[in-house]
Short mmCIF file of all heavy atoms in Angstrom, two decimals:
data_model
loop_
_atom_site.label_atom_id
_atom_site.label_comp_id
_atom_site.label_asym_id
_atom_site.label_seq_id
_atom_site.Cartn_x
_atom_site.Cartn_y
_atom_site.Cartn_z
N VAL A 1 2.24 -26.54 15.31
CA VAL A 1 2.13 -27.21 16.61
C VAL A 1 0.67 -27.52 16.92
O VAL A 1 0.32 -28.63 17.36
CB VAL A 1 2.73 -26.33 17.72
CG1 VAL A 1 2.44 -26.94 19.10
CG2 VAL A 1 4.24 -26.19 17.53
N TRP A 2 -0.20 -26.53 16.68
CA TRP A 2 -1.63 -26.73 16.92
C TRP A 2 -2.18 -27.85 16.05
O TRP A 2 -2.95 -28.71 16.50
CB TRP A 2 -2.39 -25.43 16.63
CG TRP A 2 -3.88 -25.59 16.69
CD1 TRP A 2 -4.67 -25.58 17.80
CD2 TRP A 2 -4.77 -25.83 15.58
NE1 TRP A 2 -5.98 -25.79 17.46
CE2 TRP A 2 -6.07 -25.94 16.11
CE3 TRP A 2 -4.57 -25.95 14.21
CZ2 TRP A 2 -7.18 -26.16 15.30
CZ3 TRP A 2 -5.68 -26.17 13.40
CH2 TRP A 2 -6.97 -26.29 13.94
N LEU A 3 -1.79 -27.86 14.78
CA LEU A 3 -2.28 -28.86 13.83
C LEU A 3 -1.86 -30.25 14.24
O LEU A 3 -2.67 -31.19 14.24
CB LEU A 3 -1.77 -28.53 12.43
CG LEU A 3 -2.29 -29.39 11.28
CD1 LEU A 3 -3.80 -29.23 11.16
CD2 LEU A 3 -1.61 -29.02 9.98
N GLU A 4 -0.60 -30.41 14.60
CA GLU A 4 -0.10 -31.72 14.98
C GLU A 4 -0.74 -32.21 16.28
O GLU A 4 -0.97 -33.41 16.46
CB GLU A 4 1.42 -31.68 15.12
CG GLU A 4 2.14 -31.48 13.79
CD GLU A 4 3.64 -31.33 13.96
OE1 GLU A 4 4.12 -31.48 15.10
OE2 GLU A 4 4.33 -31.06 12.97
N ASP A 5 -1.01 -31.27 17.20
CA ASP A 5 -1.65 -31.65 18.46
C ASP A 5 -3.11 -32.01 18.26
O ASP A 5 -3.68 -32.81 19.01
CB ASP A 5 -1.55 -30.50 19.48
CG ASP A 5 -0.15 -30.33 20.00
OD1 ASP A 5 0.66 -31.26 19.85
OD2 ASP A 5 0.14 -29.24 20.56
N THR A 6 -3.74 -31.40 17.27
CA THR A 6 -5.17 -31.60 17.04
C THR A 6 -5.48 -32.85 16.26
O THR A 6 -6.42 -33.59 16.56
CB THR A 6 -5.77 -30.38 16.30
OG1 THR A 6 -5.49 -29.20 17.05
CG2 THR A 6 -7.28 -30.54 16.13
N LEU A 7 -4.69 -33.11 15.24
CA LEU A 7 -4.99 -34.22 14.34
C LEU A 7 -3.71 -34.87 13.86
O LEU A 7 -2.80 -34.21 13.37
CB LEU A 7 -5.78 -33.70 13.13
CG LEU A 7 -6.28 -34.72 12.12
CD1 LEU A 7 -7.33 -35.61 12.76
CD2 LEU A 7 -6.86 -34.02 10.91
N LYS A 8 -3.63 -36.18 14.00
CA LYS A 8 -2.48 -36.92 13.51
C LYS A 8 -2.70 -37.23 12.03
O LYS A 8 -3.71 -37.84 11.67
CB LYS A 8 -2.29 -38.21 14.28
CG LYS A 8 -1.64 -38.04 15.64
CD LYS A 8 -2.56 -37.38 16.65
CE LYS A 8 -1.90 -37.27 18.02
NZ LYS A 8 -2.80 -36.62 19.00
N LEU A 9 -1.78 -36.84 11.19
CA LEU A 9 -1.93 -37.02 9.74
C LEU A 9 -1.10 -38.20 9.27
O LEU A 9 0.02 -38.39 9.69
CB LEU A 9 -1.51 -35.76 9.01
CG LEU A 9 -2.21 -34.47 9.47
CD1 LEU A 9 -1.64 -33.29 8.71
CD2 LEU A 9 -3.69 -34.57 9.24
N PHE A 10 -1.68 -38.97 8.34
CA PHE A 10 -0.98 -40.14 7.83
C PHE A 10 -0.73 -40.04 6.33
O PHE A 10 -0.61 -41.05 5.65
CB PHE A 10 -1.77 -41.41 8.16
CG PHE A 10 -1.76 -41.75 9.61
CD1 PHE A 10 -2.91 -41.64 10.37
CD2 PHE A 10 -0.59 -42.16 10.23
CE1 PHE A 10 -2.90 -41.95 11.72
CE2 PHE A 10 -0.57 -42.47 11.58
CZ PHE A 10 -1.72 -42.37 12.32
N ASN A 11 -0.65 -38.84 5.82
CA ASN A 11 -0.29 -38.67 4.41
C ASN A 11 1.18 -39.04 4.24
O ASN A 11 2.02 -38.68 5.06
CB ASN A 11 -0.48 -37.23 3.97
CG ASN A 11 -1.93 -36.79 4.03
OD1 ASN A 11 -2.74 -37.44 4.65
ND2 ASN A 11 -2.24 -35.68 3.40
N VAL A 12 1.49 -39.76 3.18
CA VAL A 12 2.87 -40.12 2.87
C VAL A 12 3.19 -39.63 1.45
O VAL A 12 2.27 -39.41 0.64
CB VAL A 12 3.09 -41.64 2.97
CG1 VAL A 12 2.99 -42.10 4.43
CG2 VAL A 12 2.09 -42.41 2.12
N PRO A 13 4.46 -39.40 1.14
CA PRO A 13 4.83 -38.83 -0.17
C PRO A 13 4.23 -39.54 -1.38
O PRO A 13 3.86 -38.89 -2.36
CB PRO A 13 6.36 -38.95 -0.17
CG PRO A 13 6.73 -38.85 1.27
CD PRO A 13 5.63 -39.59 2.00
N ILE A 14 4.09 -40.86 -1.32
CA ILE A 14 3.58 -41.60 -2.48
C ILE A 14 2.14 -41.20 -2.80
O ILE A 14 1.69 -41.33 -3.95
CB ILE A 14 3.67 -43.13 -2.24
CG1 ILE A 14 3.46 -43.88 -3.57
CG2 ILE A 14 2.68 -43.58 -1.19
CD1 ILE A 14 3.71 -45.37 -3.46
N ASP A 15 1.40 -40.68 -1.82
CA ASP A 15 0.01 -40.26 -2.06
C ASP A 15 -0.07 -39.15 -3.10
O ASP A 15 -1.05 -39.06 -3.84
CB ASP A 15 -0.63 -39.76 -0.76
CG ASP A 15 -0.85 -40.88 0.25
OD1 ASP A 15 -1.19 -42.00 -0.19
OD2 ASP A 15 -0.68 -40.64 1.45
N ASP A 16 0.97 -38.32 -3.17
CA ASP A 16 0.98 -37.21 -4.13
C ASP A 16 1.11 -37.69 -5.57
O ASP A 16 0.81 -36.94 -6.50
CB ASP A 16 2.14 -36.24 -3.81
CG ASP A 16 1.97 -35.58 -2.45
OD1 ASP A 16 0.81 -35.40 -2.03
OD2 ASP A 16 2.99 -35.25 -1.82
N TYR A 17 1.57 -38.92 -5.76
CA TYR A 17 1.75 -39.47 -7.10
C TYR A 17 0.58 -40.34 -7.55
O TYR A 17 0.58 -40.85 -8.67
CB TYR A 17 3.05 -40.28 -7.16
CG TYR A 17 4.29 -39.44 -6.92
CD1 TYR A 17 4.85 -39.34 -5.65
CD2 TYR A 17 4.89 -38.73 -7.96
CE1 TYR A 17 5.98 -38.56 -5.42
CE2 TYR A 17 6.01 -37.95 -7.75
CZ TYR A 17 6.54 -37.87 -6.47
OH TYR A 17 7.65 -37.08 -6.26
N ILE A 18 -0.37 -40.54 -6.66
CA ILE A 18 -1.55 -41.34 -7.01
C ILE A 18 -2.63 -40.38 -7.50
O ILE A 18 -3.12 -39.55 -6.72
CB ILE A 18 -2.07 -42.13 -5.79
CG1 ILE A 18 -0.99 -43.08 -5.29
CG2 ILE A 18 -3.34 -42.91 -6.17
CD1 ILE A 18 -1.36 -43.82 -4.01
N PRO A 19 -3.02 -40.45 -8.76
CA PRO A 19 -4.00 -39.49 -9.30
C PRO A 19 -5.42 -39.78 -8.81
O PRO A 19 -5.75 -40.91 -8.44
CB PRO A 19 -3.90 -39.71 -10.82
CG PRO A 19 -3.51 -41.15 -10.94
CD PRO A 19 -2.58 -41.41 -9.79
N PHE A 20 -6.22 -38.75 -8.80
CA PHE A 20 -7.64 -38.93 -8.48
C PHE A 20 -8.34 -39.50 -9.71
O PHE A 20 -8.17 -39.01 -10.83
CB PHE A 20 -8.28 -37.60 -8.10
CG PHE A 20 -9.78 -37.68 -7.95
CD1 PHE A 20 -10.35 -38.19 -6.80
CD2 PHE A 20 -10.61 -37.27 -8.99
CE1 PHE A 20 -11.73 -38.28 -6.66
CE2 PHE A 20 -11.99 -37.36 -8.86
CZ PHE A 20 -12.55 -37.86 -7.69
N CYS A 21 -9.14 -40.54 -9.51
CA CYS A 21 -9.91 -41.14 -10.62
C CYS A 21 -11.29 -41.49 -10.10
O CYS A 21 -11.46 -42.44 -9.33
CB CYS A 21 -9.20 -42.38 -11.15
SG CYS A 21 -10.08 -43.16 -12.54
N GLU A 22 -12.27 -40.70 -10.51
CA GLU A 22 -13.61 -40.84 -9.95
C GLU A 22 -14.28 -42.17 -10.26
O GLU A 22 -15.17 -42.62 -9.54
CB GLU A 22 -14.52 -39.70 -10.45
CG GLU A 22 -14.93 -39.77 -11.91
CD GLU A 22 -13.95 -39.06 -12.84
OE1 GLU A 22 -12.80 -38.84 -12.40
OE2 GLU A 22 -14.34 -38.72 -13.97
N TYR A 23 -13.83 -42.85 -11.33
CA TYR A 23 -14.48 -44.10 -11.72
C TYR A 23 -14.29 -45.21 -10.68
O TYR A 23 -15.07 -46.18 -10.64
CB TYR A 23 -13.97 -44.55 -13.09
CG TYR A 23 -14.22 -43.52 -14.16
CD1 TYR A 23 -13.17 -42.79 -14.72
CD2 TYR A 23 -15.52 -43.24 -14.58
CE1 TYR A 23 -13.41 -41.81 -15.68
CE2 TYR A 23 -15.77 -42.27 -15.54
CZ TYR A 23 -14.71 -41.56 -16.08
OH TYR A 23 -14.95 -40.59 -17.03
N PHE A 24 -13.28 -45.07 -9.86
CA PHE A 24 -13.05 -46.07 -8.82
C PHE A 24 -14.08 -45.99 -7.70
O PHE A 24 -14.09 -46.85 -6.81
CB PHE A 24 -11.63 -45.93 -8.25
CG PHE A 24 -10.59 -46.67 -9.03
CD1 PHE A 24 -9.86 -46.03 -10.01
CD2 PHE A 24 -10.35 -48.02 -8.80
CE1 PHE A 24 -8.90 -46.71 -10.75
CE2 PHE A 24 -9.40 -48.71 -9.52
CZ PHE A 24 -8.66 -48.06 -10.50
N VAL A 25 -14.95 -44.97 -7.74
CA VAL A 25 -16.00 -44.90 -6.72
C VAL A 25 -16.96 -46.09 -6.86
O VAL A 25 -17.60 -46.49 -5.89
CB VAL A 25 -16.77 -43.56 -6.81
CG1 VAL A 25 -17.68 -43.54 -8.03
CG2 VAL A 25 -17.58 -43.31 -5.53
N ILE A 26 -17.03 -46.66 -8.06
CA ILE A 26 -17.94 -47.79 -8.29
C ILE A 26 -17.50 -49.02 -7.50
O ILE A 26 -18.29 -49.57 -6.71
CB ILE A 26 -18.05 -48.10 -9.79
CG1 ILE A 26 -18.72 -46.91 -10.50
CG2 ILE A 26 -18.86 -49.38 -10.03
CD1 ILE A 26 -18.78 -47.03 -12.01
N PRO A 27 -16.24 -49.50 -7.65
CA PRO A 27 -15.85 -50.63 -6.80
C PRO A 27 -15.82 -50.27 -5.31
O PRO A 27 -16.07 -51.12 -4.46
CB PRO A 27 -14.44 -51.00 -7.30
CG PRO A 27 -13.96 -49.80 -8.04
CD PRO A 27 -15.20 -49.18 -8.63
N TYR A 28 -15.55 -48.99 -5.01
CA TYR A 28 -15.55 -48.57 -3.61
C TYR A 28 -16.93 -48.79 -2.99
O TYR A 28 -17.06 -49.31 -1.88
CB TYR A 28 -15.17 -47.10 -3.50
CG TYR A 28 -15.00 -46.62 -2.07
CD1 TYR A 28 -13.78 -46.74 -1.42
CD2 TYR A 28 -16.08 -46.07 -1.38
CE1 TYR A 28 -13.63 -46.31 -0.10
CE2 TYR A 28 -15.94 -45.65 -0.06
CZ TYR A 28 -14.71 -45.76 0.57
OH TYR A 28 -14.58 -45.34 1.87
N LEU A 29 -17.98 -48.43 -3.70
CA LEU A 29 -19.35 -48.59 -3.20
C LEU A 29 -19.80 -50.06 -3.26
O LEU A 29 -20.66 -50.47 -2.47
CB LEU A 29 -20.31 -47.71 -4.00
CG LEU A 29 -20.10 -46.20 -3.85
CD1 LEU A 29 -21.06 -45.43 -4.75
CD2 LEU A 29 -20.29 -45.77 -2.39
N LEU A 30 -19.22 -50.83 -4.17
CA LEU A 30 -19.56 -52.25 -4.25
C LEU A 30 -19.06 -53.02 -3.02
O LEU A 30 -19.48 -54.17 -2.79
CB LEU A 30 -18.97 -52.88 -5.52
CG LEU A 30 -19.67 -52.52 -6.84
CD1 LEU A 30 -18.91 -53.12 -8.01
CD2 LEU A 30 -21.11 -53.00 -6.83
N TRP A 31 -18.19 -52.38 -2.25
CA TRP A 31 -17.69 -53.00 -1.02
C TRP A 31 -18.84 -53.39 -0.09
O TRP A 31 -18.80 -54.46 0.53
CB TRP A 31 -16.76 -52.01 -0.31
CG TRP A 31 -16.26 -52.45 1.02
CD1 TRP A 31 -15.19 -53.26 1.28
CD2 TRP A 31 -16.79 -52.07 2.31
NE1 TRP A 31 -15.02 -53.41 2.65
CE2 TRP A 31 -15.99 -52.68 3.30
CE3 TRP A 31 -17.86 -51.26 2.70
CZ2 TRP A 31 -16.23 -52.52 4.66
CZ3 TRP A 31 -18.09 -51.09 4.06
CH2 TRP A 31 -17.29 -51.71 5.02
N PHE A 32 -19.87 -52.57 -0.01
CA PHE A 32 -20.97 -52.82 0.91
C PHE A 32 -21.71 -54.12 0.59
O PHE A 32 -21.85 -54.98 1.46
CB PHE A 32 -21.93 -51.62 0.94
CG PHE A 32 -21.27 -50.37 1.46
CD1 PHE A 32 -20.73 -49.43 0.59
CD2 PHE A 32 -21.18 -50.14 2.83
CE1 PHE A 32 -20.13 -48.28 1.08
CE2 PHE A 32 -20.57 -48.99 3.32
CZ PHE A 32 -20.04 -48.06 2.44
N PRO A 33 -22.19 -54.32 -0.66
CA PRO A 33 -22.83 -55.60 -0.96
C PRO A 33 -21.84 -56.77 -0.97
O PRO A 33 -22.21 -57.91 -0.67
CB PRO A 33 -23.45 -55.38 -2.34
CG PRO A 33 -22.68 -54.25 -2.94
CD PRO A 33 -22.33 -53.37 -1.79
N PHE A 34 -20.58 -56.48 -1.29
CA PHE A 34 -19.55 -57.53 -1.34
C PHE A 34 -19.35 -58.14 0.05
O PHE A 34 -19.37 -59.37 0.21
CB PHE A 34 -18.24 -56.92 -1.85
CG PHE A 34 -17.07 -57.87 -1.89
CD1 PHE A 34 -17.17 -59.08 -2.55
CD2 PHE A 34 -15.87 -57.53 -1.28
CE1 PHE A 34 -16.09 -59.96 -2.60
CE2 PHE A 34 -14.79 -58.38 -1.33
CZ PHE A 34 -14.88 -59.60 -1.99
N VAL A 35 -19.20 -57.30 1.05
CA VAL A 35 -19.02 -57.79 2.42
C VAL A 35 -20.30 -58.47 2.91
O VAL A 35 -20.24 -59.54 3.54
CB VAL A 35 -18.63 -56.63 3.37
CG1 VAL A 35 -18.61 -57.10 4.82
CG2 VAL A 35 -17.25 -56.08 2.99
N GLY A 36 -21.44 -57.88 2.59
CA GLY A 36 -22.71 -58.48 2.99
C GLY A 36 -22.90 -59.85 2.38
O GLY A 36 -23.35 -60.79 3.06
N TRP A 37 -22.55 -59.99 1.10
CA TRP A 37 -22.67 -61.29 0.42
C TRP A 37 -21.76 -62.32 1.07
O TRP A 37 -22.16 -63.46 1.31
CB TRP A 37 -22.29 -61.14 -1.06
CG TRP A 37 -22.05 -62.46 -1.73
CD1 TRP A 37 -23.00 -63.34 -2.18
CD2 TRP A 37 -20.78 -63.08 -1.97
NE1 TRP A 37 -22.39 -64.46 -2.70
CE2 TRP A 37 -21.04 -64.33 -2.60
CE3 TRP A 37 -19.45 -62.70 -1.75
CZ2 TRP A 37 -20.01 -65.19 -2.96
CZ3 TRP A 37 -18.43 -63.55 -2.11
CH2 TRP A 37 -18.71 -64.79 -2.72
N GLY A 38 -20.52 -61.93 1.37
CA GLY A 38 -19.57 -62.87 1.96
C GLY A 38 -20.05 -63.39 3.30
O GLY A 38 -19.99 -64.60 3.57
#
């Protein structure tokens, strides 16, 4: 009850099937110059 009142969580079941892959941090960080360029 305390947790739900404090923070609304948006985790969904499909998130558990998406593996962590650190290499995607590169395109994630490229977002900044990408938006700036646009």
Side-chain angles (χ1 to χ4, degrees):
V1 172
W2 173 82
L3 186 62
E4 291 175 6
D5 288 343
T6 304
L7 185 67
K8 282 72 178 179
L9 306 177
F10 289 111
N11 296 15
V12 291
I14 194 173
D15 291 323
D16 296 331
Y17 296 95
I18 300 175
F20 172 80
C21 181
E22 72 270 19
Y23 301 109
F24 274 95
V25 73
I26 295 175
Y28 186 88
L29 295 176
L30 286 176
W31 175 83
F32 296 96
F34 177 53
V35 173
W37 165 79

